[in-house]
Amino acid sequence: MIGRTARCHCGALEVACQGEPRKVSLCHCRQCQRRTGSAFSVAAFFMREQVSVRGPTASFARPSASGFDVDFHFCPTCGSNLLWYPARLPALVGVAFGGFADPDFPMPEQAVWAEEGHDWVGLPEEVARHARNPKPKA
C-alpha cells in the first residue's frame, strides 16, 4: 500500500496518508485564495481512516458556501495549513497537496469554483471544471 507524508514548513506537523486519495481537487474560491496566499488551493482528499496526524495543531473553523463548516488545522509554529475536515464530506479529510512536496503526486481531477478563478490560470484539458462545487458522490 502506498504511504505518503505531508509536512508543514518547519516539520513539526506531519500527516501520514495510506493508499491513494479518494480525489484530488483544485479550488479557485476567494476563501482558498486568502487561506493559501495563492491563486488557488489544491487538496488531496483521503478517507479519514487513511490519515493519521502527528504533532501539534491549531485550528480555525469557517462556514463554506455550501453552508457547512470546514475545520482547518495548521502548525502553531510555522502556520502552514496542512489539513482540513469538511463537514459537507464527513468521511473525508483534505490534505494540502503542497505538503507532500512530491512532483509525482497525482494531478487534480477537477477544479471547483472556477467562476472565481483568475483568467490567466490555465489548466490541462483533463481537469474537469465546475463553476461551483459539484454534488458529492454517494
Side-chain angles (χ1 to χ4, degrees), residues 15-45:
V15 180
C17 304
Q18 295 301 314
E20 293 296 334
R22 172 97 178 207
K23 68 177 176 176
V24 180
S25 184
L26 183 151
C27 183
H28 293 283
C29 83
R30 300 282 191 256
Q31 292 297 326
C32 281
Q33 291 176 35
R34 287 184 182 99
R35 180 176 56 80
T36 64
S38 185
F40 50 82
S41 166
V42 182
F45 287 91

Side-chain angles (χ1 to χ4, degrees), residues 30-115:
R30 300 282 191 256
Q31 292 297 326
C32 281
Q33 291 176 35
R34 287 184 182 99
R35 180 176 56 80
T36 64
S38 185
F40 50 82
S41 166
V42 182
F45 287 91
F46 291 87
M47 299 301 293
R48 287 194 186 204
E49 60 270 11
Q50 292 176 274
V51 176
S52 62
V53 179
R54 292 185 294 262
T57 68
S59 67
F60 171 73
R62 70 160 173 84
S64 69
S66 67
F68 293 92
D69 282 357
V70 181
D71 189 19
F72 294 95
H73 289 255
F74 54 93
C75 174
T77 302
C78 69
S80 297
N81 178 212
L82 206 54
L83 70 154
W84 49 96
Y85 299 94
R88 177 177 171 255
L89 303 167
L92 300 178
V93 58
V95 182
F97 184 92
F100 294 104
D102 178 359
D104 295 322
F105 202 90
M107 69 183 267
E109 60 203 54
Q110 68 176 10
V112 300
W113 286 92
E115 69 183 23

